């Protein structure tokens, strides 16, 4: 489990197809603190460490990414040179600063617009119709592994929806959210509580 609070930005140093896709990701972690088999969320995708190396502050770890994970995430996200939001798995007793995040991407959204508002930025993101029922004002959403609060939701004629986010300067600086622009794709994970509530509601119907 994760919280959606990104602790570092990593970069894919190498990506090669070996059956699954093997990616080597550089990061500022201490390799001594990265356990083999540990889970690390990479831009919202829970992946398992299969190798590691480097030194503290200049480390790397390797993960295998299945075809299923590649197909459910932003196209081109696993190419060499891509920056990723990183978060190690939650440990018992850690502060839950964001919300409960599983690291299982539910769908891909598209940035519609980015507008400055004071020192912050107002993002409008289009979500596919399969996810629209799970989004609500003041609810939680994970965007590329970042826990965020939905400000507004606007339903669209085709069943999809647009939702707005306020991104403060700190979030822009410490995650990849700050470099997104209109047309960019993002990995979306809906709030796990919303998922169960929607399921319960459908059974009542």
């Amino acid at each position: 489990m994760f919280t959606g609070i990104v602790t570092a930005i990593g970069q894919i140093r190498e990506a090669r197809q070996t059956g699954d896709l093997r990616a080597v990701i550089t990061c500022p972690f201490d390799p001594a603190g990265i356990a083999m088999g540990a889970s690390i969320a990479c831009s919202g995708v829970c992946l398992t460490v299969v190798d590691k190396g480097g030194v503290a502050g200049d480390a790397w770890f390797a993960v295998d990414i299945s075809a299923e994970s590649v197909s459910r995430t932003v196209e081109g996200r696993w190419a060499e040179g891509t920056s990723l939001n990183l978060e190690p798995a939650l440990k018992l007793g850690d502060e839950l600063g964001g919300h409960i995040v599983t690291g299982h991407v539910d769908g891909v959204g598209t940035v519609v617009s980015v507008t400055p508002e004071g020192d912050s930025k107002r993002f409008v993101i289009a979500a596919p119709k399969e996810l629209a029922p799970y989004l609500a004002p003041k609810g939680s959403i994970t965007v590329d592994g970042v826990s965020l609060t939905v400000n507004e939701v606007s339903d669209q004629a085709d069943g999809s929806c647009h939702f707005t986010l306020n991104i403060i300067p700190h979030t822009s600086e410490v995650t990849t959210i700050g470099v997104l622009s209109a047309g960019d794709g993002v990995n979306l994970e809906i709030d796990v509580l919303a998922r169960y509530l929607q399921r319960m509601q459908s059974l009542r119907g």
Side-chain angles (χ1 to χ4, degrees):
M1 303 298 286
F2 307 91
T3 68
I5 304 300
V6 170
T7 59
I9 295 178
Q11 188 174 66
I12 299 177
R13 186 179 73 190
E14 179 184 345
R16 63 182 187 276
Q17 201 73 47
T18 60
D20 287 333
L21 179 65
R22 171 67 62 90
V24 177
I25 301 168
T26 60
C27 63
F29 297 154
D30 183 347
I34 303 175
M36 293 293 295
S39 295
I40 296 179
C42 301
S43 285
V45 184
C46 177
L47 297 172
T48 301
V49 175
V50 297
D51 199 3
K52 63 175 184 174
V55 297
D58 185 19
W60 61 267
F61 63 93
V63 294
D64 288 330
I65 308 164
S66 70
E68 169 70 9
S69 293
V70 172
S71 69
R72 293 186 66 87
T73 54
V74 174
E75 185 177 356
R77 178 54 54 91
W78 308 111
E80 292 181 7
T82 301
S83 294
L84 302 171
N85 295 318
L86 304 179
E87 181 192 356
L90 186 66
K91 297 181 177 64
L92 188 64
D94 283 353
E95 179 182 355
L96 185 61
H99 71 281
I100 296 173
V101 174
T102 64
H104 300 154
V105 172
D106 293 300
V108 172
T110 304
V111 178
V112 175
S113 63
V114 181
T115 307
E117 284 195 355
D119 293 329
S120 299
K121 296 178 182 178
R122 182 178 184 270
F123 278 70
V124 177
I125 297 178
K129 63 181 180 181
E130 294 80 9
L131 302 189
Y134 302 96
L135 293 166
K138 305 309 175 186
S140 296
I141 184 74
T142 307
V143 178
D144 277 349
V146 183
S147 172
L148 298 166
T149 300
V150 175
N151 288 342
E152 301 171 357
V153 177
S154 175
D155 294 320
Q156 305 297 300
D158 63 357
S160 66
C161 74
H162 291 181
F163 65 93
T164 64
L165 305 167
N166 183 71
I167 305 298
I168 62 173
H170 175 76
T171 303
S172 292
E173 292 168 4
V174 302
T175 73
T176 62
I177 299 292
V179 299
L180 291 174
S181 58
D184 288 340
V186 289
N187 294 327
L188 301 177
E189 179 185 333
I190 59 174
D191 186 356
V192 65
L193 297 178
R195 182 183 289 114
Y196 286 114
L197 287 171
Q198 176 68 14
R199 172 63 174 163
M200 292 167 63
Q201 185 65 33
S202 68
L203 290 175
R204 289 196 185 101

